[in-house]
Amino acid sequence: MSSAPIGAARHPVSSAPRRRRHLNSAYLFVAPSIILIGVFIAEPIVASGWMSLHDWTVGEATHKFVGLANYTTLFGDSRFWNALRVTVLYTAVVAVGQVVLGLGIALRLRRTTWYSALVRTAYFFPFIASLVVVGIVWKFMLDPQVGLVDAWLSDVGISPPDWLQSTSLALPTVIVVGIWKNVGFTIIVLLASLQQVPAEQYEAATLDGAGAWHRFRAVTLPALRPALLFTTLIATVTGLQLFDLVFSMTGGGPVFHTESVVMYLYQKGFVEFQLGYASAIAWVLFAIILVVSVIQLKVSRYRDVD
Amino acid sequence: MSTDTLDAGVRMSGAPHGPAPRRGPAAAVAVRLARITGRTASAASWLVVAVGAIAMIVPFCWMLGVAFRTSADLYADPARLLPDQWTLHGVHAVLSQLPFGRLVLNTFVFAGGTTLLLLLFDSMTAFALARLRFRGQNVLFVLILATLMVPFQVTLVPVFLTLFHLGWLNSYQGLIVPRATSALGIFLLRQAFLALPRDLDDAARIDGASNFGLYWRIILPNAKPALASLFIIQFAALWNDFLWPLVVTNDIRMQTLPAALTLFSSQSGVDHAALMAGAAISLAPLAIAFLLLQRFFVQGVATSGIR
């Protein structure tokens, strides 16, 4: 606690000794975070780039510098291209599905009544469950022997396919579960944004003779644009980092048909311990995420000017 | 469903029928037709939304049902949601087949410990950035924001090596310390602190408060809603976290629930009741917290995008 005169306290800049104490304590406040970010985020980012230029396998005494060899190997690696295809397909369909469905549902639920509150809670609920619990529960929901989905389908006379063992159906199934899990997020974000649209704007539009579709185009959509961009961006970035859901639902199978980029990274880095190669995968993923985010931000800004 | 709802539905749904024209009997018929189709569409879309809501809940009901059924009961009629006869067999099985109490403890220590440290460190940094002046302040803020763009997976391999060299793999400090600060948390709290009036600082300074006094007794208590939101969403995110605990721990005694349940579920011939009981128990704390504190969840999620 300071006993400095009131004047000095109110105008710290005016007194030199007081100012130095001020500086010191500010640095103390930021120190813990800065040390942690330095040691566990900033330095590892640099180290990861450096490691990606090496043949860095755990257990070997020296790590040979190989330049960009990990990257050239990666670009010729068919398992990587497969993982990239799976990841991009998952991301694109889930992001679009989640935002379109989320928008439709949010518009239905914007009025606060007891049943819309109940329905909202239902839609939010899968969102708080971990992807792991979701993956495990759905894996057994789709089980041919004990699964609810297959049992219900059989009851109505449809013979169910073997969802997660089929090379053509496994990825679509994972995608549907991804949308099921994430649609609540979009609804949360859009409802929060819808609450801020002033009712007068709708009244004004109605007085001008605008129909429902017109009001949607002229009032609702512009007001929702930032929220739509936000949820699309988040959906894309998290989609590209797909891991938990496929790990727990399919383990990447059948025969790599649902293996994502991060799953491949995990396999290379933490099962085979090829840390250089895994780092290269991480940097390519980083580049893809960066490019996709910048494109989305650019496109949205271009539309704003329009 | 009341007519009131249906009207509201038409108004809100954005169903494509144009502005109401005011002339001619033909136009009047068209308007009436449009209204009728609009109402039908509205009722249909409400039905779809309601069915969707049920589809959100059914898997969780089924999970609970399986957790309290015997295996024979399940195989006999998998189409039923609820058990014929309730049994605690699944709960007993998961407690005996996994060190379940230990897993729950680990998950609590990891999620709780990390969130508390993160809230402390992030709020200190956010306070300095928002309320104090120091050299390098803006550069520091930009650098913190820059780390937000880099996906977590980039740092995973080197951090794993660091923890290996420190001997911190399979330890609480290994799980907690590297995650005890977050750029996003700093950013969100800085926003919240900037929104507090400057007069608070001046009043505190007149009373002779030091920087720490200002932070601890003025800023933190006034930013309680922001801190509560950040606490809840961070705790939930860490409770559900999978990849990080999976990499840092491989000893079952140090694992957290998501990693242990996944590995348990991939064993062949796994006991369904045990697995679903485990999944249900791991979901329970967040589910209860969510039902009680939905507003904080929603607020936190809507502003941060943390999931």
Side-chain angles (χ1 to χ4, degrees):
Chain A
M1 204 73 10
S2 121
S3 57
I6 288 167
R10 289 190 68 182
H11 306 286
V13 187
S14 64
S15 117
R18 170 76 206 182
R19 185 165 178 232
R20 189 165 305 129
R21 279 186 56 190
H22 207 131
L23 283 175
N24 288 342
S25 92
Y27 289 119
L28 285 181
F29 274 100
V30 297
S33 285
I34 296 314
I35 292 169
L36 287 175
I37 289 178
V39 174
F40 293 110
I41 300 178
E43 192 274 340
I45 290 173
V46 178
S48 166
W50 182 240
M51 287 171 80
S52 77
L53 304 176
H54 290 74
D55 181 4
W56 197 303
T57 306
V58 167
E60 287 171 7
T62 54
H63 310 297
K64 204 173 122 229
F65 182 85
V66 293
L68 294 175
N70 281 326
Y71 292 93
T72 47
T73 313
L74 191 60
F75 291 131
D77 181 346
S78 62
R79 189 167 162 191
F80 170 72
W81 285 111
N82 170 66
L84 188 59
R85 190 188 63 87
V86 166
T87 307
V88 168
L89 213 63
Y90 172 91
T91 304
V93 181
V94 170
V96 171
Q98 162 186 352
V99 169
V100 170
L101 285 175
L103 176 62
I105 297 166
L107 290 172
R108 301 264 60 180
L109 296 179
R110 65 189 298 192
R111 291 222 325 173
T112 348
T113 52
W114 67 268
Y115 48 83
S116 81
L118 203 68
V119 169
R120 260 184 227 194
T121 308
Y123 277 104
F124 295 174
F125 200 77
F127 179 74
I128 57 136
S130 68
L131 281 160
V132 161
V133 164
V134 164
I136 292 173
V137 169
W138 273 103
K139 178 165 121 187
F140 287 96
M141 289 270 293
L142 297 166
D143 186 279
Q145 268 142 44
V146 298
L148 186 70
V149 174
D150 288 18
W152 280 4
L153 285 179
S154 306
D155 280 358
V156 295
I158 302 168
S159 82
D162 200 349
W163 307 97
L164 296 175
Q165 300 306 317
S166 144
T167 51
S168 55
L169 274 180
L171 182 58
T173 308
V174 172
I175 286 174
V176 170
V177 174
I179 296 174
W180 176 86
K181 164 83 165 91
N182 290 326
V183 71
F185 171 72
T186 304
I187 298 175
I188 292 178
V189 173
L190 293 184
L191 280 175
S193 174
L194 276 171
Q195 276 164 9
Q196 277 151 29
V197 185
E200 300 89 69
Q201 288 192 14
Y202 286 106
E203 285 158 20
T206 313
L207 283 180
D208 290 345
W213 174 244
H214 226 81
R215 285 197 296 270
F216 175 72
R217 287 287 314 266
V219 181
T220 312
L221 211 51
L224 283 184
R225 186 161 287 162
L228 283 171
L229 172 69
F230 175 71
T231 112
T232 312
L233 201 62
I234 299 270
T236 313
V237 172
T238 50
L240 290 171
Q241 300 180 29
L242 172 66
F243 179 77
D244 305 19
L245 190 61
V246 278
F247 196 103
S248 56
M249 251 181 108
T250 66
V255 277
F256 310 130
H257 274 79
T258 57
E259 185 175 72
S260 68
V261 171
V262 178
M263 268 198 89
Y264 189 41
L265 185 160
Y266 177 81
Q267 173 70 26
K268 282 291 167 194
F270 302 103
V271 179
E272 298 173 20
F273 291 111
Q274 296 182 27
L275 300 187
Y277 200 64
S279 301
I281 298 175
W283 275 85
V284 172
L285 178 71
F286 177 22
I288 293 169
I289 291 176
L290 202 63
V291 168
V292 172
S293 315
V294 168
I295 290 175
Q296 286 187 349
L297 287 171
K298 277 262 150 67
V299 167
S300 72
R301 203 157 294 159
Y302 173 73
R303 279 214 209 111
D304 278 349
V305 176
D306 213 28
Chain B
M1 212 170 294
S2 67
T3 27
D4 180 38
T5 331
L6 294 177
D7 284 345
V10 174
R11 247 184 290 132
M12 302 311 179
S13 74
H17 50 86
R22 289 180 199 86
R23 52 199 120 71
V29 170
V31 166
R32 189 165 300 166
L33 260 178
R35 209 163 275 164
I36 290 166
T37 29
R39 279 188 192 181
T40 319
S42 160
S45 71
W46 250 113
L47 195 69
V48 171
V49 168
V51 169
I54 292 167
M56 296 287 140
I57 296 306
V58 163
F60 296 107
C61 297
W62 184 77
M63 171 188 78
L64 276 180
V66 174
F68 294 108
R69 288 169 89 159
T70 62
S71 217
D73 186 13
L74 177 64
Y75 276 92
D77 184 7
R80 238 194 0 254
L81 269 179
L82 293 178
D84 228 4
Q85 258 183 329
W86 294 77
T87 157
L88 284 176
H89 151 82
V91 178
H92 289 306
V94 78
L95 291 179
S96 64
Q97 290 172 29
L98 284 173
F100 204 79
R102 177 72 196 212
L103 294 174
V104 173
L105 175 75
N106 291 346
T107 318
F108 257 112
V109 170
F110 166 58
T114 310
T115 309
L116 286 178
L117 277 180
L118 183 144
L119 233 54
L120 176 68
F121 294 160
D122 282 6
S123 66
M124 285 165 61
T125 305
F127 166 74
L129 288 172
R131 304 306 258 209
L132 302 179
R133 293 272 160 274
F134 58 96
R135 197 177 302 197
Q137 188 168 24
N138 292 331
V139 178
L140 190 66
F141 183 56
V142 170
L143 284 177
I144 290 173
L145 282 189
T147 66
L148 261 182
M149 304 200 314
V150 184
F152 160 72
Q153 290 84 359
V154 168
T155 60
L156 196 57
V157 168
V159 170
F160 170 77
L161 267 189
T162 305
L163 295 182
F164 172 74
H165 289 307
L166 287 171
W168 279 15
L169 294 175
N170 287 310
S171 75
Y172 285 138
Q173 66 268 33
L175 279 168
I176 292 174
V177 173
R179 302 298 294 276
T181 197
S182 101
L184 188 58
I186 293 171
F187 174 74
L188 292 172
L189 289 178
R190 177 181 169 272
Q191 302 280 91
F193 294 168
L194 281 175
L196 299 175
R198 282 275 157 190
D199 299 354
L200 285 175
D201 303 37
D202 293 340
R205 298 278 185 215
I206 290 170
D207 290 345
S210 64
N211 284 341
F212 181 78
L214 176 62
Y215 160 74
W216 191 253
R217 284 203 310 273
I218 310 293
I219 299 294
L220 283 191
N222 277 293
K224 268 184 194 156
L227 291 166
S229 283
L230 187 63
F231 179 89
I232 287 175
I233 46 175
Q234 272 296 343
F235 184 89
L238 291 163
W239 181 272
N240 288 338
D241 198 7
F242 178 56
L243 180 54
W244 170 252
L246 186 70
V247 165
V248 179
T249 61
N250 58 15
D251 176 357
I252 183 82
R253 307 272 316 156
M254 285 310 298
Q255 267 170 347
T256 60
L257 285 165
L261 283 175
T262 307
L263 301 178
F264 185 57
S265 80
S266 54
Q267 291 170 4
S268 59
V270 62
D271 184 335
H272 294 106
L275 182 63
M276 290 302 144
I281 296 171
S282 87
L283 177 61
L286 287 191
I288 293 165
F290 170 71
L291 294 176
L292 295 176
L293 305 167
Q294 192 170 337
R295 201 143 48 96
F296 284 101
F297 269 93
V298 167
Q299 218 163 34
V301 167
T303 51
S304 73
I306 296 179
R307 34 189 33 224

